[in-house]
């Protein structure tokens, strides 16, 4: 009898324990630490970590997450840092204040595991001294990326822009970010978010794309674009890709609106003296060919005027000058391309003066167009 009683009591204890585990276990199994984004009051994004791990991993606690069971952990690094945490911010010395120092500030990015194919850099805030005014070369301040796929040297403003850097397969060499500052006094500041993208992730960009945009509509710009004070950067050579959304077969591009309504738009000025009206120039041609693009250009595959009826039977690939149009004209027009995948290529050489003066670069709004029976 006593043995039977002990057996029943043991069984009851196990049932109570089982019910207790069932009641509490989902708190810890439903949430995967480090998988979800959380935000700090200062605007940075972090990852949700167990309360006791954030500081141990070198992070900055930024408030509760996961219903209070975790801590929103922000990772930041500056000059001389070596990082492998996904979502780490590369920030200037004295962040969040600006810095006026000169020298070299370098950050090393290591893959958090071998199945990382790309590094995405989001320029949450980026302000360096701009290029010199004659040939628009970044000869005082520079942002450089090395160790991965080629990326252009940039300076000036890039807030809101991004870059994708191919990091290769396996545990390859590290990616190095370098900010070089020199020359006159300037309030420099940067906050660049580093995301590590697995090889099979849906967020992975197409091969060879420095920038990769998604969505039916959006906006693309050259680095350091500003219609009032910006200067087109020299020595640029990269591709801007737009993911083809399902059931969309073509894409239309329009120059962004003028900064001041009613004024002449300077949102597409790639060549010529943009202090006056410069007509669109098209096609590659050869050196000296009138109205062609032989030095600086934006490549839009098989570009045509979108609303011309009937549609032109020929098309152009390169557009330059100071007016956005697929034909030689001083009137801005919407341009359409039916070549998929949707991709732009931007090229500038190292010389502006004396022919090119005060060019701003480009800003274009795009809208993908749905497929129809005759496309």
């Amino acid at each position: 009898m006593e043995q039977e009683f002990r057996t029943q009591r043991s069984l009851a204890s196990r049932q109570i324990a089982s019910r207790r585990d069932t009641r509490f276990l989902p708190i810890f199994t439903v949430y995967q630490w480090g998988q979800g984004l959380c935000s700090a009051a200062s605007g940075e994004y972090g990852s949700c970590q167990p309360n006791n791990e954030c500081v141990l991993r070198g992070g900055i606690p930024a408030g509760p997450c996961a219903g209070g069971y975790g801590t929103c952990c922000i990772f930041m690094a500056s000059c001389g840092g070596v990082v492998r945490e996904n979502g780490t911010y590369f920030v200037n010395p004295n962040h969040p204040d600006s810095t006026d120092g000169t020298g070299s500030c370098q950050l090393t990015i290591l893959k958090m595991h071998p199945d990382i194919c790309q590094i995405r850099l989001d320029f949450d805030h980026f302000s360096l001294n701009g290029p010199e005014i004659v040939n628009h070369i970044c000869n005082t301040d520079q942002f450089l990326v090395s160790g991965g796929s080629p990326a252009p040297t940039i300076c000036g403003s890039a807030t809101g822009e991004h870059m994708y850097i191919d990091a290769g397969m396996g545990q390859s060499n590290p990616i190095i970010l370098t900010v070089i500052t020199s020359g006159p006094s300037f309030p420099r500041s940067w906050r660049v978010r580093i995301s590590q993208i697995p090889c099979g992730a849906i967020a992975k960009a197409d091969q060879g794309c420095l920038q990769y945009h998604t969505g039916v509509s959006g906006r693309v710009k050259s680095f350091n674009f500003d219609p009032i004070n910006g200067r087109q950067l020299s020595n640029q050579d990269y591709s801007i890709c737009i993911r083809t959304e399902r059931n969309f077969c073509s894409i239309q591009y329009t120059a962004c609106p003028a900064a001041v309504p009613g004024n002449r738009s300077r949102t597409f000025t790639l060549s010529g003296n943009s202090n006056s009206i410069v007509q669109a120039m098209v096609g590659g041609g050869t050196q000296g060919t009138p109205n062609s693009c032989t030095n600086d250009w934006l490549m839009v595959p098989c570009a045509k005027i979108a609303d011309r009826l009937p549609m032109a039977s020929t098309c152009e690939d390169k557009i330059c000058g100071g007016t956005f149009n697929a034909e030689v004209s001083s009137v801005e027009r919407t341009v359409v391309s039916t070549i998929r995948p949707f991709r732009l290529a931007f090229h500038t050489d190292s010389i502006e003066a004396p022919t090119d003066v005060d060019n701003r670069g480009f800003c274009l709004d795009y809208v993908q167009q749905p497929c129809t029976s005759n496309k």
Side-chain angles (χ1 to χ4, degrees), residues 230-264:
R231 296 191 187 101
Q232 172 178 276
L233 301 181
S234 292
N235 298 314
Q236 304 290 289
D237 209 345
Y238 60 90
S239 292
I240 303 169
C241 304
I242 300 166
R243 185 180 68 192
T244 306
E245 301 299 342
R246 186 180 179 88
N247 296 324
F248 288 86
C249 287
S250 64
I251 188 167
Q252 293 185 358
Y253 302 98
T254 306
C256 297
V260 179
N263 285 10
R264 179 173 66 90

Side-chain angles (χ1 to χ4, degrees), residues 1 5 11 32 45 67 80 111 115 118 177 182 191 224 250 274 281 305 320 343 347:
M1 176 68 70
F5 175 75
L11 178 60
Q32 295 183 354
Y45 288 104
K111 291 184 177 183
D115 188 40
Q118 293 178 339
L177 308 183
S182 63
R191 188 179 75 187
N224 197 44
S250 64
S274 67
M281 295 180 277
I305 294 178
C320 61
R343 180 176 294 210
H347 170 83

Side-chain angles (χ1 to χ4, degrees), residues 83-311:
V83 303
R84 64 169 71 244
E85 293 284 355
N86 195 19
T88 298
Y89 287 92
F90 177 32
V91 298
N92 60 278
N94 303 326
H95 176 80
D97 296 327
S98 62
T99 180
D100 197 17
T102 58
S104 177
C105 180
Q106 192 172 85
L107 184 79
T108 301
I109 306 170
L110 302 177
K111 291 184 177 183
M112 58 184 180
H113 55 73
D115 188 40
I116 296 295
C117 278
Q118 293 178 339
I119 302 294
R120 174 171 168 140
L121 307 176
D122 282 284
F123 298 88
D124 285 2
H125 181 74
F126 187 90
S127 179
L128 300 181
N129 204 357
E132 47 84 22
I133 63 174
V134 178
N135 287 313
H136 298 185
I137 295 174
C138 298
N139 61 358
T140 56
D141 291 2
Q142 299 176 340
F143 176 84
L144 305 96
V145 182
S146 57
S149 56
T153 298
I154 65 171
C155 59
S157 174
T159 300
E161 299 300 319
H162 70 271
M163 290 182 181
Y164 280 85
I165 308 299
D166 289 329
M169 302 290 288
Q171 202 74 35
S172 61
N173 293 331
I175 305 297
I176 311 295
L177 308 183
T178 305
V179 176
I180 298 174
T181 56
S182 63
S185 175
F186 188 83
R188 302 165 175 96
S189 58
W190 63 88
R191 188 179 75 187
V192 182
R193 190 168 192 269
I194 303 164
S195 301
Q196 302 201 21
I197 302 176
C199 299
I202 192 172
K204 182 174 176 286
D206 292 345
Q207 187 72 24
C209 301
L210 182 76
Q211 294 190 317
Y212 187 63
H213 297 263
T214 61
V216 172
S217 62
R219 174 169 289 186
V220 295
K221 298 186 295 183
S222 52
F223 292 107
N224 197 44
F225 172 82
D226 181 270
I228 306 298
N229 299 312
R231 296 191 187 101
Q232 172 178 276
L233 301 181
S234 292
N235 298 314
Q236 304 290 289
D237 209 345
Y238 60 90
S239 292
I240 303 169
C241 304
I242 300 166
R243 185 180 68 192
T244 306
E245 301 299 342
R246 186 180 179 88
N247 296 324
F248 288 86
C249 287
S250 64
I251 188 167
Q252 293 185 358
Y253 302 98
T254 306
C256 297
V260 179
N263 285 10
R264 179 173 66 90
S265 171
R266 298 182 70 163
T267 57
F268 186 89
T269 52
L270 270 59
S271 49
N273 187 338
S274 67
N275 293 308
S276 58
I277 296 176
V278 179
Q279 66 183 4
M281 295 180 277
V282 298
T286 59
Q287 197 69 37
T289 303
N291 302 320
S292 63
C293 304
T294 55
N295 300 311
D296 303 337
W297 65 76
L298 183 68
M299 182 174 287
V300 184
C302 198
K304 300 181 182 182
I305 294 178
D307 58 355
R308 183 178 295 288
L309 295 175
M311 183 69 73

